[in-house]
Amino acid sequence: MRWGWLVLVVACSAPAPAPPPEETRPEEPVEAPPPAEPPVEAAEAGPAERPDSLPRLDDEAAWRLLAAPSNEHAVARTEVVKLLWDHVTDEVYFCQSERWPLHYDFAVRFLQTEERPLGDRGSFNRRHYLHPDREMQMASLVRYRDADLWTLELGPADNLDGRALVRLLERVRGLVFFGDALRYRPRSELHRRLIRRVRDEVRALETNDVWSGVRYQPVTLGDSIGRLRFVEGAVDPATVTPDQILVLDHVPNDIPLCAGIVTSEIQAPLAHVAVLSQSRGTPNMALRGVFGSELRALDDHIVRLRVGAADYELTPSDAAAMRASLDASRPPRVEPPALDPSREALVDTCELRLGDTAWAGSKAAQLGEVCGAGVPTSAGFVIPVHHYLAHLERHTIDATAGTLRATPRFEEDGHARGEALRALRERIEAADVDPALVAQIAARVRRARGRRWIFRSSTNAEDLPGFSGAGLYESVVTVADPDDAAIAAAVREVWASVWSRRAWDEREYYRLDHDAVAMAILAQPFLDGVTAMGVAITENPFSTQRSGILVNLAPPGSSVTAAEGEELPEQVLLYRHSRPEVISRSTRNGGRAILAEASMRPLRDRLEQVHVHMMERWGDRADAADVELALLGDGSAVILQARPYRMRREAVALSAARGLIVTGGRLRRVVPDRVGRGGRSFDRRRVLVQGAFASALVSAGFFAQRLALEPTWGCGTSTCSGRRW
């Protein structure tokens, strides 16, 4: 049978300068095939021939002249046209939004005169985004191609009142060819309050309406070459090899090493599979309807998959290219911290610091470091690696890589490897735990009467820069007030998980010495009054243009990291420069808010405290912190875990407000240098960039205007000044 290859080509646009605090930067990628009409890049006119603005949008061709695709990917396949309504002249300008991504730049270029100075960007923003008597109204027209939605959107901090918004929508609807379809999408709780009395008139969308129509979702950007494999139902880990690109009919909680991931269900952005793919650099995407698409014809063929912010690309490849891709994508060898088995005493978590990793493991040491910064953490204690090693020695258990490798067919047969590792775990779990150790643990556990406990892995081979190890080892939850037998069983199960098949395979891929790994245990009591469980990344994973912290939340009893089916968590972007943006509401909570608006700023500040403290200690080995947290009834947050996180992006871009540049898929530091100007405080930054393209941008002065004159807006450190939301 002959069939044609489906080729999806994505054009990359140059990154725009960082927007002002209240500037709207919605996500704007392009359409997937088969396109009903040409995507933005296909407009016949070249960039130089496109007008700076138009007074109307009468048809699709006019839209294509002005629309800009985005390199943001909270929602893919989205396009944007900036608009400005000048009340002085009563003119409406629809802006060429690749050339003029910021309203301020357009206004200065075309509307400023000697008689009408517009001032600097900070004063312009305050005057025209926050003042009730503003001379200009500014917004974005956004097209969500997957959902077939046209929306008008404001910056999250824009406080335009409901009646003024009605007038703006009425004016715009009369000037665009999609006026009857135009809806309003509120982006913050402020927006929702302001439209309560005019909600029907503005035809407001619900928070999750955009997500319900999403077909393509990029999760981890990147490209790889592998053999496409469609899998229905549960994945047998023993049959998965690193050269396979897996197409799955569900979102698994865990996934073996592979060359790429495509799920037919939308993924929670901070689910375990998403964190694993991010850590490994595995291209990962969701594509609703993939099992009924043309791609099914490519099953068992070697292909190149590229997951982009705007769209994906699938092209034929060959075995030689696949081997080269596997070799190139394999990460550098990871050296775990050296072990120190000399420490025997159980130690309170808050007494630990990063330097204690050698005997307390990474998870416990990093949580202790967070606690030492004055951040509320769950109480608990650590059982040092000494006791794991002593357990093996006491029962003469040969837990070494050499012995395992001597097992027939261990290396080449996933099932044989799994059986050998299972037999080793069973030996570890069958051996009695030292009664003296059980007594010490029980004495501490029983201080917290009526509580359940969780015994969590804390090896020296997880939660490391460059090796997250997310989900590799076991955590065991006990009953309330566990007896000695339950405590011993939990300890043995966590110890034995050092030798799980998934842990072995992951360490092997990273060339990590198995015999250099040992298990400490972090014991934590369950908390009272928990209203939600959450995961946060302390940088904005969707865009470098708007610095923020992404928080995913779910009600108690459900999982943020293991959402099932088409479930969505509550996703909130806590911007450092502006009001928060609610991306989605939890489907497990009936669309009702989990995080109250009054708790958003305290949570942002708490997570910023974690970010600053841990980044000072991780340095260039991490770009952000991956934080697990619990929300309590009073709105406060308790930190349960913090580990280093790497960002992966496909473009060189700038996040001026946080002093970060993305190049080669990693964030590089921008060193701040404080200067004063006109009685206000500004950042002038010396840019430290790697890569020829980034160097060329800096040499050309691409960043100079933004870096030298950008006001600091609530960056969350003691050296920053300026108004905060």
Side-chain angles (χ1 to χ4, degrees), residues 23-72:
E23 185 72 356
T24 304
R25 295 294 299 164
E27 305 78 13
E28 319 134 9
V30 295
E31 184 180 356
E37 58 233 355
V40 166
E41 292 89 337
E44 293 79 3
E49 300 169 329
R50 299 180 191 179
D52 289 299
S53 66
L54 291 173
R56 302 179 56 88
L57 296 176
D58 288 324
D59 51 31
E60 184 71 38
W63 175 266
R64 293 202 303 272
L65 284 174
L66 302 184
S70 172
N71 62 0
E72 300 179 21

Side-chain angles (χ1 to χ4, degrees), residues 17 76 129 192 277 283 302 305 467 477 479 510 521 531 563 643 678:
Y129 289 105
R192 291 175 180 83
S277 66
I302 297 175
L305 172 68
F467 186 80
V477 176
V479 297
Y510 281 83
I521 296 177
T531 59
R643 61 186 169 204

Side-chain angles (χ1 to χ4, degrees), residues 12 61 99 126 142 152 158 172 189 196 226 243 339 394 431 486 519 530 691:
C12 295
R99 190 177 307 144
R126 288 190 295 275
V142 184
L152 184 140
D158 194 320
V172 172
E189 291 305 302
R196 281 175 182 165
D243 61 354
L339 293 170
R394 180 167 170 254
M519 178 70 77
V530 173

Side-chain angles (χ1 to χ4, degrees), residues 180-261:
D180 290 343
L182 186 61
R183 309 282 297 275
Y184 173 62
R185 178 175 174 253
R187 297 178 63 197
S188 65
E189 291 305 302
L190 170 66
H191 292 172
R192 291 175 180 83
R193 288 200 308 274
L194 291 170
I195 64 167
R196 281 175 182 165
R197 297 182 179 180
V198 296
R199 188 173 185 85
D200 291 340
E201 293 179 71
V202 300
R203 299 182 61 202
L205 290 170
E206 297 297 333
T207 304
N208 289 354
D209 286 348
V210 169
W211 285 95
S212 63
V214 168
R215 181 168 178 263
Y216 168 66
Q217 177 199 24
V219 181
T220 300
L221 309 183
D223 62 86
S224 66
I225 299 173
R227 188 174 295 278
L228 202 65
R229 178 188 172 193
F230 279 73
V231 182
E232 296 187 61
V235 181
D236 180 358
T239 65
V240 177
T241 55
D243 61 354
Q244 294 176 352
I245 296 174
L246 300 178
V247 184
L248 308 172
D249 63 359
H250 66 290
V251 180
N253 188 35
D254 184 33
I255 197 159
L257 285 159
C258 57
I261 304 165

